Amino acid sequence: MNTRLVVGVTGGIGSGKSAVTDRFAAAGVAVVDADRAARLVVEPGTPGLAAIAQHFGPGILNEAGWLDRAALRRLVFENPAERAWLEQLTHPLIGEQIARELAAATSPYCILSSPLLLETGQKDVADVIVVVDVPEEVQVARTMARDDNDAELVRKIMAAQMPRAERLDGADIVIDNSGTLEDLDERVAELHAEFLARAELAREG
Ligand code: ADP
């Protein structure tokens, strides 16, 4: 059981999740990344990968024995039953991996960074939910600049994610990242002070 304050950070593609969590990490806060946990639980040699290979066949692995993520995405994309099967396997494994990493963290509070925080049971792990928010056109422009993608692809990815209004509804705290990176430095510093104070209170309580 993790007793340390856990701050969940989420946001749509290109909203600035990494920019935010990089800043907390630079302040010495442990950052657990749900995407990284999701990759770890299907690495070669894991029970997760063995179950996937048994279910979908060895063709789902590349020559080196790693999961072919693109092939898996194609398989489950238009097949809700297969997607459900995959999620009932991976979500608990990812949850356990996240719990292990949070338990190993030694900073006064920790961050759980996840694009799917609000869509999954991961939100239950977080004591505070922070949503990084920018207008949709800023999301498109920044993602295009970062990934060298066209606007159409970025909009498709956004359409598959939780709508902005719904995500904002799930927030305890919103980080408006429509300003400069210097503005973001300031906002993160302010929140870091607040979370340290909360963590201190929780420790005393
Ligand atoms: P996410 O992790 O949510 O997909 P990133 O943190 O990678 O988003 O941010 C998307 C892109 O926008 C990155 O290239 C990042 O450097 C840039 N970026 C983030 N915040 C700002 C900002 N306030 N001003 C300018 N560029 C930003």
Side-chain angles (χ1 to χ4, degrees):
M1 182 62 195
N2 185 68
T3 51
R4 194 170 296 115
L5 180 75
V6 177
V7 175
V9 174
T10 192
I13 183 169
S15 60
K17 283 180 302 298
S18 304
V20 165
T21 55
D22 285 353
R23 282 164 173 73
F24 280 109
V29 181
V31 176
V32 174
D33 181 346
D35 276 344
R36 178 174 169 274
R39 288 192 298 271
L40 284 178
V41 300
V42 293
E43 276 193 347
T46 57
L49 188 57
I52 288 171
Q54 189 173 30
H55 184 83
F56 291 106
I60 203 71
L61 307 179
N62 66 24
E63 279 167 21
W66 288 72
L67 182 59
D68 182 344
R69 296 179 155 274
L72 185 63
R73 260 198 304 278
R74 281 194 297 274
L75 264 172
V76 301
F77 187 65
E78 287 184 36
N79 192 327
E82 294 293 22
R83 175 183 290 268
W85 181 86
L86 185 65
E87 289 180 351
Q88 63 78 33
L89 172 78
T90 55
H91 284 189
L93 295 172
I94 296 166
E96 286 163 21
Q97 177 65 30
I98 287 171
R100 274 195 297 275
E101 292 187 26
L102 288 172
T106 54
S107 52
Y109 70 95
C110 27
I111 301 271
L112 169 58
S113 172
S114 173
L116 294 176
L117 189 73
L118 295 171
E119 289 90 333
T120 63
Q122 290 164 12
K123 64 175 167 302
D124 303 329
V125 177
D127 301 296
V128 187
I129 297 202
V130 174
V131 168
V132 188
D133 181 63
V134 292
E136 278 156 0
E137 52 284 17
V138 176
Q139 251 183 297
V140 173
R142 287 185 184 160
T143 307
M144 283 173 66
R146 182 192 63 190
D147 299 342
D148 203 15
N149 279 336
D150 59 36
E152 197 192 346
L153 177 62
V154 179
R155 288 192 191 281
K156 242 190 214 163
I157 296 170
M158 284 166 58
Q161 296 187 331
M162 181 180 274
R164 183 182 179 201
E166 200 180 323
R167 194 182 293 113
L168 287 171
D169 262 356
D172 297 312
I173 294 174
V174 176
I175 296 181
D176 171 5
N177 185 28
S178 56
T180 64
L181 288 169
E182 290 70 33
D183 294 335
L184 189 62
D185 286 339
E186 246 177 67
R187 179 72 173 126
V188 168
E190 173 186 297
L191 288 174
H192 178 53
E194 179 181 331
F195 296 147
L196 280 177
R198 277 205 211 190
E200 182 65 23
L201 273 179
R203 222 160 47 99
E204 285 166 1

